[in-house]
Amino acid sequence: MERTYIMIKPDGVQRRLTGEIIRRFENRGLTLVALKMLTPSRETAAAHYDVHKERPFFNDLVDFVTSGPVVAMVWEGPEAVKLTRQMIGATKPLEATPGTIRGDYTCDVMSNLIHGSDSPENAEAEIKLWFAASEI
Ligand code: IDP
Ligand code: MG
């Protein structure tokens, strides 16, 4: 069993896609082990996207992800990191195939509804960043 950090970004919450996204992961057989709604601080958002801090879109990305409530979650299942990344779809809109969350609901490279950890190591770090042990 593996755990991953999944976050519905502000656009996903505003577009009322929270239920649809959770439904997809539950239908697939994954287990929701933690969930909370919060508006991220700039500090947490910047730490979360630290790997992108030199990219030209970094400040816009922090503005975007702190612009409203997100739904922070931990999901568990076999190969949960790869499985959820596959269900989320690619970052580039043209590469996000139909049937994936991004491929079905967005064509914008930044407002792309959802984050999913890209490795088990990053999943562990992100779960620690967003959740206290007592919340899981
Ligand atoms: P990922 O979310 O598919 O893992 P990353 O490359 O890690 O994609 O980028 C993190 C987030 O930064 C993306 O989900 C998206 O919101 C935003 N982003 C990525 N590339 C661009 C870009 O070229 N322009 C604007 N925003 C971007
Ligand atoms: Mg990423």
Side-chain angles (χ1 to χ4, degrees):
M1 281 298 161
E2 191 171 81
R3 285 181 175 183
T4 189
Y5 177 68
I6 299 288
M7 179 168 72
I8 304 176
K9 297 179 182 180
D11 59 326
V13 174
Q14 278 156 28
R15 289 181 55 195
R16 296 173 160 75
L17 288 169
T18 300
E20 166 66 16
I21 289 169
I22 290 175
R23 184 187 67 80
R24 286 181 178 222
F25 291 136
E26 284 194 325
N27 282 357
R28 192 69 194 270
L30 295 163
T31 302
L32 180 61
V33 295
L35 177 147
K36 64 181 174 184
M37 181 183 248
L38 72 155
T39 300
S41 66
R42 290 194 76 82
E43 190 188 5
T44 303
H48 177 77
Y49 283 124
D50 188 62
V51 66
H52 297 305
K53 63 174 180 281
E54 307 301 338
R55 307 283 284 275
F57 58 82
F58 179 75
N59 279 324
D60 289 341
L61 180 58
V62 172
D63 286 346
F64 164 57
V65 90
T66 59
S67 66
V70 301
V71 176
M73 298 177 280
V74 180
W75 286 87
E76 186 177 88
E79 298 204 76
V81 168
K82 278 189 184 154
L83 199 76
T84 52
R85 291 281 292 189
Q86 188 185 61
M87 293 173 71
I88 287 168
T91 317
K92 291 183 182 157
L94 276 174
E95 291 170 14
T97 48
T100 65
I101 294 165
R102 289 173 178 168
D104 286 348
Y105 292 107
T106 182
C107 61
D108 191 275
V109 69
M110 178 169 291
S111 302
N112 59 9
L113 304 171
I114 181 165
H115 165 83
S117 309
D118 62 7
S119 69
E121 298 71 37
N122 285 340
E124 205 184 315
E126 290 170 4
I127 290 167
K128 274 208 184 95
L129 175 66
W130 290 93
F131 285 94
S134 61
E135 292 177 314
I136 302 171

